[in-house]
Amino acid sequence: MTDLQVRRVRFDFAGQHVPFNWNPQRPAFSMQCNLISFFAPGFEKFIVDATREALPLIRDPEIVEEANAYLRQEAQHSAAHTSHVRALTRRWPGLRQTMDEVTASFDRLTATKPLAWRLGYTAVVEATFTPYFRVFLDHDDKLFAPGDERVASLFLWHFVEEIEHRSSAIRVYDAVHDSYLYRLQTIGGVARHIHEILGIISRGFRAHVPYADGGEYAALIPAGLSVKALRAAQRATRELSSPDQATYAGVPRRELAAMLTGLVRSQAPRHDPATELLPPLAARWFARFHQEPKSAARWYSVGEAGSR
């Protein structure tokens, strides 16, 4: 029986204004999370469509059960990020076009790429999440707690559930198309597609959010993975924020080195994400959700300080 749980959390984005720069103390991290909210609905729809197509091909009933829970978790993530995006588009309507372009880009992959490639794309990306998100969760007091609690709580929930189902994508891929070489060969296509998505979102944020509303910080998102785009984002970081506002400010170098090592290891043959070192916050989050599910939507105002 799978250990994955499908948790329905409703975040209150229908009320008061949701700021674009939702954690002014860490504007680069705010923009990175905004980017994820625009990336997530299209990506998770892409995952759900591919996983549903894969299910009839999987012979192991345990993996079928896990795949069903995994795609249901991803569907919940898509719905929650869509509500965040909807709140932003109410204030800045032009962002609707940006969201539509991202979704259309993923839909083109679904329409044109074979199932094995789409499952490989998902396995490649999902394998990176645990080492990447661990650093964020280990420093939630700097990255999440000082910001808008609704947005912070959304990303805490999403990141801990990505860690919970960290092995699901690769298990589904291996059950359908067990070829490490083929999965490795998809990495180039994954990078090209992420380059495209970064360009869409970066341009959209700059075009549709005025500077007075925090739109200047859109420059902190690279408009792609090219050297030119990455250097431009680095220059913007120096111009728009101080060193203590950088995403990784205050993170020990050994933790950053471990993250980079983990990202490389995530694409190695025979790598099993289940063996990754997990952030303690994830265990606390799951335990508190079990006791008080409503705490997930307001993580810091429902006693997190007292649970440390």
Side-chain angles (χ1 to χ4, degrees):
M1 179 178 293
T2 181
D3 293 329
L4 301 185
Q5 297 182 37
V6 180
R7 305 172 183 86
R8 293 173 174 82
V9 183
R10 296 295 176 257
F11 301 93
D12 182 19
F13 291 123
Q16 66 188 72
H17 165 61
V18 177
F20 185 67
N21 184 19
W22 61 271
N23 182 0
Q25 295 184 25
R26 301 281 172 143
F29 183 67
S30 291
M31 295 305 107
Q32 187 171 355
C33 289
N34 287 347
L35 184 151
I36 291 171
S37 268
F38 278 76
F39 180 88
F43 179 49
E44 282 154 351
K45 180 177 181 293
F46 172 82
I47 292 173
V48 168
D49 290 346
T51 306
R52 283 179 174 158
E53 188 176 338
L55 281 170
L57 305 176
I58 301 173
R59 298 291 174 258
D60 185 331
E62 180 183 342
I63 297 178
V64 169
E65 184 181 18
E66 179 171 345
N68 272 303
Y70 159 57
L71 68 83
R72 290 170 63 202
Q73 278 193 345
E74 295 291 19
Q76 290 297 314
H77 298 169
S78 178
H81 284 286
T82 297
S83 70
H84 181 210
V85 169
R86 191 179 298 120
L88 296 177
T89 57
R90 281 198 303 270
R91 181 73 181 272
W92 303 286
L95 290 174
R96 179 72 260 171
Q97 177 184 347
T98 303
M99 186 71 260
D100 290 345
E101 289 181 34
V102 172
T103 302
S105 179
F106 277 106
D107 286 347
R108 282 193 295 274
L109 293 183
T110 297
T112 61
K113 295 293 187 178
L115 177 62
W117 190 94
R118 286 178 277 135
L119 294 176
Y121 182 120
T122 303
V124 165
V125 173
E126 293 262 325
T128 67
F129 285 163
T130 300
Y132 187 44
F133 293 158
R134 177 185 166 86
V135 173
F136 298 158
L137 296 173
D138 281 348
H139 296 274
D140 74 292
D141 58 322
K142 309 177 190 72
L143 298 174
F144 296 96
D148 183 288
E149 188 182 33
R150 296 163 297 174
V151 183
S153 298
L154 164 64
F155 281 96
L156 287 171
W157 165 71
H158 187 171
F159 291 170
V160 299
E161 287 204 339
E162 289 294 338
I163 287 170
E164 183 181 39
H165 69 230
R166 60 193 176 277
S167 298
S168 299
I170 198 164
R171 292 189 79 192
V172 170
Y173 173 82
D174 287 344
V176 174
H177 191 81
D178 187 11
S179 169
Y180 170 70
L181 181 59
Y182 184 88
R183 176 160 56 90
L184 191 66
Q185 290 171 342
T186 67
I187 292 177
V190 171
R192 286 190 294 273
H193 187 250
I194 291 176
H195 172 83
E196 176 188 330
I197 296 296
L198 283 171
I200 292 170
I201 296 175
S202 176
R203 290 191 300 271
F205 284 0
R206 296 181 200 209
H208 301 303
V209 182
Y211 275 29
D213 296 334
E216 63 179 324
Y217 294 112
L220 302 177
I221 299 174
L225 295 176
S226 67
V227 172
K228 180 180 178 181
L230 295 173
R231 284 179 176 171
Q234 287 179 335
R235 286 195 301 271
T237 299
R238 291 193 296 268
E239 294 167 1
L240 297 174
S241 62
S242 58
D244 63 342
Q245 291 180 311
T247 296
Y248 298 111
V251 178
R253 290 184 178 180
R254 68 179 181 279
E255 293 185 31
L256 295 177
M259 179 186 73
L260 293 173
T261 300
L263 292 174
V264 173
R265 188 177 61 243
S266 71
Q267 306 306 317
R270 295 181 296 279
H271 172 66
D272 182 358
T275 64
E276 290 282 354
L277 187 64
L278 306 183
L281 176 57
R284 290 206 312 276
W285 193 98
F286 293 128
R288 188 140 71 91
F289 182 89
H290 179 72
Q291 295 175 349
E292 179 51 65
K294 291 183 179 179
S295 68
R298 289 281 185 177
W299 179 255
Y300 293 103
S301 63
V302 189
E304 166 62 1
S307 70
R308 288 181 184 276

